[in-house]
């Protein structure tokens, strides 16, 4: 069975945001998928609460950079119509620079506007400098997750107890991958942690089936003793 080639590109809280990008993707013949990941139960009990809505736009990994370029080109034109009370105008210079350093956490519109505001403040970033910042950001995000020792310990404990939770923890540590802003998938955990994950996975499977066997044996033994011959 092949993996789904589509991975999450961005999350949105309104259908209008998604539809705007879909229109662009269709014009450029870029394949995509959209899924509604909104929670089934809304604690606010508000039928029109957009804060609890969540739509995922999924693209093929190789299309991430192309779509980034298209959206940023579009955003360069849109910022000329920005309202004077837009919230980014209240940001400090370091906060605006942080937007340029972490474009994956901001919309293309905010990214381009932050760049424009900084230019008006006398702080100019060339395309080469922004590409370097992007590469540094991707390199940082590609680093394995740290401080998962509690999960490793819990995995061993549940695996030795014969619980399915131990099997799940082992499988998760071994197989989970994260998607980088450039669309590439990388292992979320280090080689050392994934080795622990493999041990937890196989240990959990062994003890799980052993526990099932003993439970089955005990049931048969009790039935045998209670049966009148």
């Amino acid at each position: 069975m092949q993996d789904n080639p589509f991975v999450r590109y961005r999350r949105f809280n309104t259908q209008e945001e998604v539809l705007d990008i879909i229109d662009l993707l269709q014009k450029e013949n870029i394949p995509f998928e959209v899924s509604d990941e909104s929670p089934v139960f809304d604690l606010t009990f508000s039928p029109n609460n957009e804060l609890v809505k969540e739509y995922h736009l999924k693209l093929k990994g190789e299309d991430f950079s192309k779509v980034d370029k298209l959206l940023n080109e579009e955003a360069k034109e849109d910022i000329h119509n920005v309202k004077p009370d837009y919230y980014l105008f209240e940001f400090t210079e370091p906060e605006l620079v942080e937007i340029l350093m972490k474009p994956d956490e901001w919309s293309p519109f905010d990214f381009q506007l932050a760049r424009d505001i900084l230019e008006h403040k006398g702080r100019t970033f060339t395309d080469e400098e922004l590409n370097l910042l992007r590469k540094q950001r991707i390199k940082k995000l590609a680093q394995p997750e740290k401080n998962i020792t509690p999960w490793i310990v819990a995995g061993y404990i549940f695996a030795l107890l014969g619980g399915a939770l131990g099997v799940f923890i082992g499988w998760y540590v071994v197989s989970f991958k994260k998607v980088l802003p450039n669309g590439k998938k990388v292992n979320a955990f280090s080689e050392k942690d994934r080795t622990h994950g493999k041990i937890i996975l196989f240990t959990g499977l062994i003890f799980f089936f052993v526990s099932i066997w003993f439970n089955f044996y005990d049931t048969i033994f009790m039935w045998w003793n209670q049966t009148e011959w």
Side-chain angles (χ1 to χ4, degrees):
M1 183 177 178
Q2 295 183 341
D3 292 335
N4 187 341
F6 292 94
V7 292
R8 190 181 71 191
Y9 173 68
R10 286 187 183 275
R11 290 180 291 187
F12 302 92
N13 294 119
T14 66
Q15 289 184 341
E16 288 75 14
E17 292 176 297
V18 182
L19 292 174
D20 285 342
I21 295 184
I22 287 178
D23 184 54
L24 178 63
L25 296 176
Q26 290 176 332
K27 289 179 180 178
E28 298 294 332
N29 294 317
I30 298 175
F32 64 89
E33 287 184 358
V34 176
S35 61
D36 186 348
E37 304 294 336
S38 306
V40 176
F41 184 71
D42 178 11
L43 294 176
T44 66
F45 300 101
S46 175
N48 298 314
N49 188 0
E50 292 293 348
L51 295 178
V52 298
K53 297 292 184 181
E54 186 170 305
Y55 304 96
H56 289 187
L57 174 64
K58 301 176 184 179
L59 304 173
K60 292 182 178 180
E62 60 266 26
D63 290 328
F64 274 41
S65 296
K66 181 178 180 180
V67 175
D68 281 343
K69 183 178 179 180
L70 290 171
L71 293 178
N72 276 285
E73 289 176 351
E74 188 177 71
K76 288 179 181 179
E77 301 298 325
D78 292 341
I79 62 173
H80 298 304
N81 300 317
V82 65
K83 295 181 180 180
D85 59 347
Y86 195 72
Y87 71 102
L88 283 191
F89 290 114
E90 301 295 328
F91 276 36
T92 63
E93 188 170 315
E95 289 173 332
L96 293 170
V97 172
E98 186 174 1
I99 294 176
L100 301 187
M101 295 175 63
K102 300 178 180 179
D104 51 289
E105 295 183 358
W106 300 84
S107 68
F109 181 88
D110 285 343
F111 178 84
Q112 293 298 335
L113 181 58
R115 183 182 183 181
D116 186 69
I117 294 173
L118 285 169
E119 287 182 355
H120 282 84
K121 291 177 178 286
R123 186 81 180 272
T124 302
F125 285 83
T126 64
D127 290 338
E128 290 74 17
E129 289 173 328
L130 291 177
N131 286 331
L132 178 60
L133 289 176
R134 176 180 170 81
K135 290 179 181 179
Q136 292 174 341
R137 173 67 171 167
I138 291 175
K139 183 178 180 180
K140 182 178 180 180
L141 292 175
Q143 295 299 312
E145 301 294 328
K146 299 178 180 179
N147 302 322
I148 70 164
T149 300
W151 284 104
I152 297 294
V153 173
Y156 276 114
I157 293 173
F158 285 113
L160 293 173
L161 292 175
L165 183 56
V167 175
F168 173 77
I169 292 175
W171 169 81
Y172 180 80
V173 173
V174 170
S175 62
F176 182 67
K177 297 180 182 293
K178 53 186 177 181
V179 181
L180 301 178
N182 60 2
K184 292 183 179 180
K185 291 183 178 181
V186 297
N187 289 312
F189 304 107
S190 67
E191 183 64 32
K192 179 180 177 181
D193 289 334
R194 284 185 284 121
T195 298
H196 280 296
K198 292 177 183 177
I199 297 173
I200 293 170
L201 175 60
F202 290 115
T203 301
L205 286 172
I206 292 172
F207 277 84
F208 178 72
F209 286 113
V210 168
S211 66
I212 290 178
W213 164 252
F214 274 106
N215 287 333
F216 176 75
Y217 179 82
D218 287 343
T219 301
I220 295 298
F221 183 76
M222 291 176 60
W223 173 81
W224 182 271
N225 288 334
Q226 293 174 2
T227 301
E228 295 181 1
W229 298 95

